[in-house]
Amino acid sequence: MIRILQFGATGQVSRAMIAGAPGRAILTPLSRADVDLADEAAIEAAIAAADCDLVVNCAAFTLVDKAEAEPEAARAANALAPAAMARACARRGLPLVHLSTDCVFDGTLDRAYREDDAPNPLSVYGATKLDGETAVLAWEKGVVLRVSWVFSRFGRNFIRTMLQLGRARDELRVVADQYGCPTDAVALADFILGAAPRWAGAAPGDAAFGLFHFTNAGATSRHDLAAAALRQDPLTRARLSPIAKRDFPEPAARPLNGALDSGRVSAVFGWQAEPWASAVARAADQIIAEGLDA
């Protein structure tokens, strides 16, 4: 059975990997308590000592607004830590799978972004994630999966927040002119676990390595994503009102169009993405059934 060393144990994708691994992989998740992402030597030592076939990095500084105030912390987790992982993986010949973001783009295109489109991050978060990508892709067995608007039944995310606010407020004002492709963390974990044996056995130069976009099928607005979640909850009482992004200022700028074209991952791996709406409905049902505060 494939052996995976995973950085990250508490985030949405980390938890989806842990839940999906039994019977498919021997997964060793490392939390920040196990390995401090700011300690490059500890990261390299963990990989050097691991009994594994590949490394997956689900860990990051993902608080986009907070990164503006804490750029060095964001750089340590999002750029320097992946670089340390890549160095250690290269020494052992191990594949490294790393998660990135649509925030490496500025959102000015009028179509979904492809892997060969030029990045132009608008925020500290996006810039540090782009630096992490560069470091990982410098290793010939590096894999970068760009994702966006991640949701699941695990932890805090936009879907859970909308469901909570839908019961607490009479009106929800949600941005209607910001677009992206939601990403189901459970589907992402399923893909990584399924592709792991190929990565572990592939030689440098295999098409399985490199940069990929991974999302559910279709793009939507924040407003319509909220509406899809709230439709699943019979106890919601909030009325949704669309607003423009300019009326919802945030410390960090985000792309107005963060839609990602996932055609390459389909072509290389044969992955068939589920439409975002059905995946969101399922996740919302699970969150409601398990309790909104779970």
Side-chain angles (χ1 to χ4, degrees):
M1 191 177 293
I2 194 81
R3 298 162 299 170
I4 300 173
L5 178 68
Q6 175 177 293
F7 287 88
T10 60
Q12 294 188 77
V13 181
S14 299
R15 292 172 65 182
M17 287 283 292
I18 293 168
R24 303 181 70 185
I26 299 171
L27 184 72
T28 302
L30 300 176
S31 69
R32 289 179 188 247
D34 297 317
V35 178
D36 182 356
L37 291 183
D39 188 338
E40 296 174 57
I43 291 170
E44 295 187 46
I47 293 173
D51 180 17
C52 66
D53 301 302
L54 77 158
V55 177
V56 175
N57 181 30
C58 300
F61 189 111
T62 58
L63 300 174
V64 178
D65 291 328
K66 192 175 182 182
E68 297 296 311
E70 301 181 15
E72 290 308 313
R75 181 170 178 267
N78 295 343
L80 300 182
M85 294 175 199
R87 289 193 301 268
C89 285
R91 291 190 197 105
R92 293 191 54 189
L94 294 172
L96 171 60
V97 181
H98 173 71
L99 303 184
S100 192
T101 173
D102 62 313
C103 289
V104 300
F105 295 116
D106 60 17
T108 57
L109 285 186
D110 60 0
R111 58 164 173 79
Y113 281 87
R114 297 187 293 263
E115 289 85 353
D116 58 357
D117 286 315
N120 184 33
L122 303 175
S123 64
V124 169
Y125 170 71
T128 58
K129 290 296 289 183
L130 180 59
D131 287 344
E133 289 186 7
T134 301
V136 171
L137 293 174
W139 164 225
E140 59 188 357
K141 288 188 176 183
V143 179
V144 171
L145 301 174
R146 287 183 183 146
V147 301
S148 59
W149 298 13
V150 177
F151 68 91
S152 70
R153 54 183 275 251
F154 300 111
R156 297 201 60 79
N157 55 68
F158 183 79
I159 302 303
R160 185 182 298 277
T161 298
M162 291 299 102
L163 290 170
Q164 290 171 332
L165 294 178
R167 292 186 182 184
R169 297 184 183 177
D170 294 322
E171 182 186 21
L172 287 180
R173 302 172 73 242
V174 182
V175 172
D177 60 352
Q178 182 182 19
Y179 297 89
C181 297
T183 305
D184 179 1
V186 174
L188 176 57
D190 182 48
F191 168 75
I192 293 171
L193 290 165
R198 178 171 175 181
W199 286 319
D206 193 290
F209 298 121
L211 176 62
F212 299 89
H213 292 171
F214 186 99
T215 71
N216 283 83
T220 188
S221 69
R222 285 287 187 186
H223 175 275
D224 290 351
L225 179 57
L230 294 178
R231 276 196 296 270
Q232 301 304 117
D233 187 8
L235 299 182
T236 192
R237 62 186 179 91
R239 180 181 73 259
L240 269 182
S241 298
I243 62 170
K245 183 66 181 73
R246 65 175 179 272
D247 297 324
F248 188 71
E250 297 173 288
R254 292 161 169 81
L256 281 180
N257 173 31
L260 301 176
D261 184 329
S262 297
R264 184 170 183 240
V265 79
S266 298
V268 172
F269 293 94
W271 178 260
Q272 297 299 312
E274 179 184 7
W276 68 265
S278 56
V280 165
R282 181 172 60 252
D285 287 345
Q286 291 169 334
I287 291 170
I288 292 165
E290 294 170 4
L292 301 191
D293 297 323

